[in-house]
């Protein structure tokens, strides 16, 4: 496919196009429809900041271009250049396989490129088609300066409350600590951190992100499309060949020898854990993502992996396995050889659990075995459920009544650990790595229960998350070379504390029992403003509410909600989200399948604003709190990708407070411009 006889022409073109003459070849017949990493210079011709793609010095990423020839022609040769110099690296070729591309469209890549020089770099592609007609395109990226002149934070703890908006924090504080005459009786653990900022959450292709780009920005420093993490988008349908960006775990393992820990309450393939240990354009590719955790453990330094998702670690065809060809993906040879990782195929029969244990991982299936993990254990794998772990409320209910069959028994996992227990053991293992570590701890079901509008369940998961934060703060207090940040990937459901009930629990039960709808379950119940007063929950010795069905309870409303019935009562059973547990087919008897099957007894339906069965994410900014070494950098309003560069700089000992590379630095020439509109054209509007 690739011919070399056009090289002199390509070289001449690089010299001719200069920095900003990107439009010169735009009218040429072959066309470049995508140039990666993404830039506004390529998309709209604007060479100014904010730069869409930014990297650490030496951080690796793939360069890629999609090139379409004229009808009847093929692309004969292509070369990448950076700052006017053709890259000597091998260009790999693949056909574009997405729909609607002209015949013979190719995707060409230079894999695992890196640039050590801080500053803005221009890069591009030159190509010729088979009749020697040329095309070229340019873009830019920034390498963020790092000056490691201070003390490095060798231990990095990134805590992500999935879907945790500001109101989720407020609700948890009211429930967990209580309010007296307007003053909180105490702070959440995350409230005690000395530095707090605000983070914007938009993804590469939408103002509203999902969890994959939401986590990927912290893992890679770059925006991703929704559904994608660890990669930039491309024009092939394969899920494992997208342009990669080196993650923080990979970068710090390769350059500093640090270990990686991933801990979550969700299924381990889920977006947040996935973004810290895999690279894929398909967040649902669960088999492939879990394979990548193992196959690329020597690139990431993976030493701790804990959560749900056991079904991806069991060979297809065995009890509980969910592995399938559809959810697996190929890591092609050009990616594998350039990045120094194994190529991967479609292999649902693989026994991933067996491979982990053979590679020296201590495997724990439940809380009892987790708590018994010996000091000196250097690699730990915990798989505590077939899919998402059960939520804190249902785990706590079982611990309080061990002999009573409960939700966790129905799901088949009666002995699941709490997140603070998982975080404690993760730190015990990672503490042994003298070069330091990156640990990501996710409270993953805050988001999932907010999607399901199960208010009490996400509030109790918030308490579980905050108790894990407390353990990590204790660790940081005794290890001063530690940075702890607590943030979210996005807000979920537009959840807000709207007030409190004006009636006792008994009165609420009686009103709901009438089936009187708005007249009984809303009017006279929902207390707003001064009618709300101060709901008071009592905590049990285990740290969780004795009951959430108190008199004059806190009430939550949703702004990005599906149709639902609301009776304000704590739901006895969780919704059986399709991703939960083994018993999805047939459904667990008695478990409601969606919010319209739940709470129908009061006959009070709240009409949703979105046409879906569940609530979903909003574009709202979220909060970041930080403590420990370098935490003073985490103030002000920042882009989510800025968080990555602050963390990485602190990890490397650059604790300067600098703003010139921040993505929220203004650009007057782009202000208010529409997506894809060349600023030069705006006066015609
Ligand atoms: Zn979500």
């Amino acid at each position: 496919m690739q011919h070399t006889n056009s090289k002199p022409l390509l070289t001449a073109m690089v010299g001719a196009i200069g920095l900003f003459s990107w439009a010169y070849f735009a009218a040429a017949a072959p066309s470049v429809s995508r140039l990666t990493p993404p830039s506004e210079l390529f998309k709209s011709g604007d060479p100014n900041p904010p730069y869409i793609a930014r990297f650490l010095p030496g951080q690796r990423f793939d360069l890629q271009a999609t090139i379409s020839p004229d009808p009847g022609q093929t692309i004969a040769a292509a070369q990448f250049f950076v700052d006017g110099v053709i890259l000597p690296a091998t260009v790999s070729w693949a056909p574009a396989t997405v729909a609607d591309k002209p015949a013979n469209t190719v995707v060409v890549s230079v894999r695992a490129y890196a640039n050590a020089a801080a500053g803005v770099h221009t890069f591009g592609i030159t190509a010729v088609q088979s009749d020697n007609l040329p095309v070229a395109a340019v873009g830019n990226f920034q390498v963020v300066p790092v000056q490691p002149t201070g003390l490095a934070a060798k231990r990095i703890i990134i805590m992500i409350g999935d879907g945790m908006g500001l109101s989720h924090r407020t609700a948890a504080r009211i429930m967990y600590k209580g309010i007296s005459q307007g003053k909180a009786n105490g702070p959440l653990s995350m409230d005690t951190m000395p530095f707090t900022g605000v983070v914007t959450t938009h993804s590469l292709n939408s103002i509203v992100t999902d969890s994959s780009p939401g986590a990927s920005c912290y893992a890679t420093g770059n925006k991703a499309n929704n559904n994608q993490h660890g990669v930039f988008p491309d024009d092939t349908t394969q899920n494992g060949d997208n342009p990669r960006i080196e993650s923080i775990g990979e970068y710090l393992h390769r350059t500093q020898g640090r270990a990686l820990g991933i801990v979550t309450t969700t299924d381990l393939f889920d977006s947040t854990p996935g973004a810290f240990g895999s690279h894929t354009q398909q967040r649902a590719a669960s088999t492939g993502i879990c394979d990548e955790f193992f196959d690329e453990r020597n690139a990431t330094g993976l030493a701790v992996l804990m959560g749900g998702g056991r079904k991806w670690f069991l060979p297809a065809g065995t009890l509980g396995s969910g592995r399938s060809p559809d959810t697996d993906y190929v890591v092609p040879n050009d990616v594998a050889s350039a990045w120094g990782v194994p190529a991967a195929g479609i292999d649902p029969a693989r026994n991933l659990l067996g491979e982990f244990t053979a590679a020296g991982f201590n495997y724990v299936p439940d809380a009892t075995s987790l708590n018994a993990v010996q000091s000196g254990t250097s690699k730990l794998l915990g798989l505590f459920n077939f899919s998402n772990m059960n939520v804190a409320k249902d785990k706590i209910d079982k611990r309080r009544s061990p002999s009573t069959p409960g939700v966790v028994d129905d799901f088949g996992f009666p002995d699941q650990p709490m997140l603070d227990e998982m975080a404690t053991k993760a730190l015990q293992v990672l503490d042994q790595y003298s070069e330091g570590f990156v640990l990501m701890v996710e409270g993953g079901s805050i988001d999932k229960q907010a999607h399901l509008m199960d208010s009490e369940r996400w509030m109790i998961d918030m308490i579980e998350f905050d108790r894990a934060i407390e353990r990590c703060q204790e660790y940081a207090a005794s290890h001063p070379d530690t940075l702890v940040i607590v943030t979210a990937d996005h807000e979920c459901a537009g959840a807000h504390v709207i007030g409190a009930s004006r009636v006792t629990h008994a009165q609420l039960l009686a009103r709901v029992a009438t089936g009187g709808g708005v007249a009984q379950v809303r009017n006279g119940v929902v207390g707003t403003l001064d009618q709300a007063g101060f709901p008071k929950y009592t905590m049990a010795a285990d740290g969780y509410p004795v009951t959430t069905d108190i008199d004059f309870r806190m009430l939550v409303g949703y702004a990005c909600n599906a149709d639902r019935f609301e009776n304000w009562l704590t739901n006895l059973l969780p919704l059986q989200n399709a991703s939960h547990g083994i018993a999805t087919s047939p459904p667990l008897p008695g478990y409601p399948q969606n919010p319209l099957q739940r709470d129908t007894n009061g006959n009070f339906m709240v009409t949703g604003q979105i046409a879906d069965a569940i609530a979903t994410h909003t574009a709202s900014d979220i909060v970041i709190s930080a403590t420990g070494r370098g935490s003073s950098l985490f103030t002000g309003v920042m882009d989510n990708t800025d968080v990555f560069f602050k963390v990485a700089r602190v990890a490397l000992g650059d604790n300067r407070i600098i703003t010139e590379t921040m993505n929220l630095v203004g650009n007057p020439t782009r202000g208010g411009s529409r997506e894809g509109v060349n600023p030069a054209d705006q006066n015609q509007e």
Side-chain angles (χ1 to χ4, degrees):
M1 195 173 209
Q2 183 180 10
H3 310 296
T4 53
N5 57 359
S6 302
K7 261 191 180 165
L9 175 58
L10 297 179
T11 306
M13 286 167 61
V14 171
I17 59 175
L19 288 187
F20 303 122
S21 56
W22 63 281
Y24 180 80
F25 287 106
S31 64
V32 177
S33 58
R34 187 192 298 276
L35 183 65
T36 301
S39 66
E40 277 297 314
L41 177 55
F42 173 72
K43 187 163 188 175
S44 68
D46 183 352
N48 299 304
Y51 304 106
I52 305 303
R54 295 181 299 166
F55 307 95
L56 295 168
Q59 183 186 1
R60 303 196 293 177
F61 59 98
D62 291 341
L63 302 168
Q64 191 170 86
T66 302
I67 313 170
S68 300
D70 282 338
Q73 303 290 324
T74 58
I75 300 301
Q79 286 184 315
F80 287 90
F81 60 91
V82 176
D83 299 329
V85 178
I86 287 181
L87 298 182
T90 305
V91 176
S92 57
W93 295 64
T97 47
V98 296
D100 303 328
K101 288 291 172 195
N104 301 322
T105 298
V106 294
V107 174
V108 295
S109 311
V110 164
R111 302 288 187 180
Y113 171 78
N115 195 309
V120 178
H121 298 278
T122 303
F123 77 105
I125 182 82
T126 58
V128 292
Q129 65 183 18
S130 37
D131 63 0
N132 271 342
L133 261 181
V135 65
V138 300
N140 59 13
F141 61 85
Q142 184 180 28
V143 173
V144 171
V146 175
Q147 293 179 15
T149 54
L151 292 170
K154 291 173 70 174
R155 309 158 204 260
I156 302 288
I157 304 176
I158 300 170
M159 310 201 66
I160 298 179
D162 200 304
M164 181 176 73
L166 186 55
S167 293
H168 297 77
R169 284 177 73 145
T170 308
R173 190 183 308 112
I174 292 169
M175 176 177 278
Y176 195 20
K177 303 297 175 179
I179 313 287
S180 298
Q181 298 192 64
K183 292 204 170 179
N185 299 331
L188 297 170
S189 289
M190 64 184 98
D191 295 337
T192 67
M193 295 188 168
F195 297 97
T196 292
V198 169
V199 180
T200 63
T201 66
H202 317 299
S203 70
L204 185 61
N205 67 336
S206 176
I207 56 170
V208 183
T209 188
D210 72 47
S211 288
S212 274
S216 192
C217 62
Y218 302 140
T220 71
N222 281 276
K223 302 284 184 180
N225 272 5
N226 284 0
N227 284 312
Q228 310 191 353
H229 56 242
V231 295
F232 292 120
D234 72 358
D235 290 301
T236 77
T237 54
Q238 292 93 315
N239 290 332
D241 70 343
N242 285 60
R244 287 188 173 201
I245 311 127
E246 189 169 37
S247 67
I248 189 157
E250 292 166 329
Y251 182 84
L252 290 176
H253 181 68
R254 181 171 62 82
T255 63
Q256 308 282 317
R258 302 202 185 158
L260 175 66
I262 295 174
V263 174
T264 181
T265 52
T266 68
D267 194 314
L268 273 166
F269 88 87
D270 212 47
S271 288
T272 310
F276 281 83
S278 67
H279 304 266
T280 181
Q281 70 168 11
Q282 179 47 269
R283 58 175 284 176
S286 40
T287 302
I289 289 167
C290 291
D291 285 353
E292 204 178 326
F293 285 143
F294 180 79
D295 291 339
E296 304 189 12
R297 68 193 184 285
N298 293 331
T300 60
L302 184 71
V304 173
L305 186 64
M306 280 195 276
R310 193 188 300 170
K311 63 184 178 183
W312 314 115
F313 293 71
L314 305 172
T318 62
L319 179 66
S321 176
R323 292 180 64 89
S324 69
D326 290 352
T327 56
D328 205 352
Y329 54 81
V330 171
V331 175
N333 287 327
D334 66 317
V335 172
S337 61
W339 285 87
V341 298
I346 306 298
D347 42 20
R350 196 170 172 184
N351 180 356
L352 206 55
L353 176 52
E355 293 186 53
F356 265 100
T357 55
F361 279 77
N362 183 355
Y363 170 60
V364 288
D366 53 30
T368 302
S369 56
L370 174 69
N371 292 326
V373 166
Q374 300 288 312
S375 63
T377 300
S378 61
K379 291 178 183 175
L380 182 58
L381 173 70
L383 303 172
F384 305 116
N385 199 310
F386 280 129
S387 182
N388 297 318
M389 293 175 67
N390 285 102
V391 298
K393 172 183 165 34
D394 299 322
K395 291 185 292 190
I396 286 294
D397 282 351
K398 180 64 179 178
R399 290 181 177 209
R400 289 176 178 177
S401 305
S403 57
T404 307
V407 170
V408 293
D409 298 291
D410 289 345
F411 280 76
F413 294 88
D415 184 27
Q416 298 170 63
M418 307 303 293
L419 187 59
D420 57 331
E421 297 164 343
M422 296 159 68
T424 299
K425 282 298 174 182
L427 288 168
Q428 175 191 309
V429 171
L430 293 169
D431 186 58
Q432 301 167 91
Y433 288 83
S434 58
E435 301 306 321
F437 59 81
V438 176
L439 170 62
M440 192 289 295
V441 178
E442 185 197 26
S445 286
I446 300 163
D447 177 75
K448 296 191 186 304
Q449 295 302 314
H451 274 289
L452 304 179
M453 299 170 286
D454 193 328
S455 305
E456 281 74 18
R457 276 188 173 72
W458 64 249
M459 285 188 223
I460 297 177
D461 263 50
M462 280 292 303
I463 294 174
E464 182 189 40
F465 183 52
D466 199 58
R467 291 168 65 83
I469 292 166
E470 192 176 353
R471 298 288 88 75
C472 294
Q473 283 182 280
E474 290 165 0
Y475 180 86
S478 59
H479 297 78
D481 56 353
T482 306
L483 168 69
V484 186
I485 65 167
V486 177
T487 190
D489 46 0
H490 52 75
E491 195 276 345
C492 184
H496 283 279
V497 178
I498 60 171
S501 168
R502 300 168 65 185
V503 301
T504 65
H505 180 53
Q507 288 168 332
L508 178 58
L509 285 174
R511 282 171 168 265
V512 169
T514 66
V518 166
Q520 286 289 335
V521 184
R522 185 188 71 184
N523 302 351
V525 172
V526 177
T528 59
L529 297 169
D530 48 292
Q531 293 169 334
F534 299 105
K536 290 210 183 303
Y537 296 81
T538 305
M539 296 303 122
D542 57 24
Y544 292 86
V546 172
T547 176
T548 47
D549 280 331
I550 63 166
D551 297 341
F552 315 112
R553 74 191 58 217
M554 176 168 40
L555 301 182
V556 168
Y558 296 91
C560 193
N561 59 312
D563 292 352
R564 76 184 198 277
F565 286 99
E566 182 59 86
N567 65 8
W568 311 115
L569 298 166
T570 303
N571 298 309
L572 194 61
L573 299 174
L575 284 189
Q576 189 183 315
N577 185 309
S579 64
H580 277 71
I582 50 171
T584 52
S585 177
L588 284 173
Y591 281 70
Q593 298 296 302
N594 64 58
L596 284 174
Q597 294 178 4
R598 184 182 64 194
D599 299 351
T600 55
N601 50 356
N603 197 30
F604 172 35
M605 193 174 101
V606 182
T607 306
Q609 302 174 78
I610 61 170
D612 201 346
I614 60 173
T616 194
H617 306 167
T618 68
S620 295
D621 298 345
I622 46 89
V623 176
I624 186 167
S625 298
T627 189
R629 182 164 292 168
S631 56
S632 61
L633 272 64
F634 296 87
T635 61
V637 181
M638 65 198 87
D639 185 70
N640 54 6
T641 58
D642 288 325
V643 174
F644 168 90
F645 292 98
K646 289 167 183 276
V647 168
R649 284 175 45 226
V650 170
L652 297 169
D654 179 358
N655 303 335
R656 297 170 302 143
I657 294 178
I658 55 173
T659 56
E660 65 266 27
T661 60
M662 298 282 289
N663 259 193
L664 289 182
V665 170
N667 171 4
T669 64
R670 202 183 299 166
S673 69
R674 285 192 290 110
E675 171 84 355
V677 173
N678 190 321
D681 298 328
Q682 283 196 334
N683 293 339
Q684 300 165 6
E685 291 287 306

